[in-house]
Amino acid sequence: MNINVWGYREASGHLEALDLTGYAVEASDGAVGTVDKHSDEVGSSYLVVDTGPWIFGKEVLLPAGTVTHIDQEERKVYVDRTKDQIKAAPEFDKQKHLGDLDYHRQIGGYYTDPGHRA
């Protein structure tokens, strides 16, 4: 099965002009934080989630392919990973994120690994 982890699913309700900053992020088993920033760049769409005190202020990069549904009325983004899977994800590295293809492969690999899918 070929998964495009860096693109929004067709049925997610994502709209290109929609600003997701500040939206709550819900894992399959509860809240994980809020969207700090996001990108709609084709082939490289993602959310940076501030987990706040839940993981001691860690930020995680969630590829757009993990998003199952966006509820604009409730300002929530739902993802198909558990809180533990997100907690174990590689931490968002602002420096590596900017143009480091190995870093993107590492993140994408984590989220496409069958052991890290819900």
Side-chain angles (χ1 to χ4, degrees):
M1 179 163 133
N2 189 10
I3 298 170
N4 177 14
V5 75
W6 297 107
Y8 285 96
R9 299 173 190 192
E10 216 172 286
S12 71
H14 176 260
L15 301 172
E16 204 168 305
L18 181 62
D19 183 4
L20 298 174
T21 306
Y23 274 48
V25 179
E26 294 281 330
S28 59
D29 58 352
V32 294
T34 57
V35 177
D36 188 44
K37 70 181 216 172
H38 67 98
S39 168
D40 290 337
E41 190 174 322
V42 175
S44 187
S45 298
Y46 62 84
L47 307 173
V48 175
V49 179
D50 180 352
T51 61
W54 176 63
I55 314 181
F56 306 112
K58 177 178 174 179
E59 286 187 323
V60 293
L61 183 69
L62 290 177
T66 63
V67 174
T68 58
H69 178 67
I70 297 169
D71 187 325
Q72 293 180 48
E73 193 172 302
E74 291 190 20
R75 294 182 48 85
K76 288 186 179 181
V77 176
Y78 295 85
V79 297
D80 67 355
R81 299 302 190 275
T82 65
K83 289 164 57 169
D84 284 342
Q85 289 169 322
I86 293 169
K87 187 175 184 176
E91 188 164 358
F92 174 62
D93 184 324
K94 204 177 295 189
Q95 301 308 96
K96 285 185 179 179
H97 173 65
L98 302 171
D100 186 331
L101 292 176
D102 286 334
Y103 178 68
H104 273 255
R105 277 193 280 275
Q106 175 192 9
I107 298 290
Y110 176 83
Y111 286 104
T112 57
D113 181 323
H116 298 124
R117 281 192 247 146

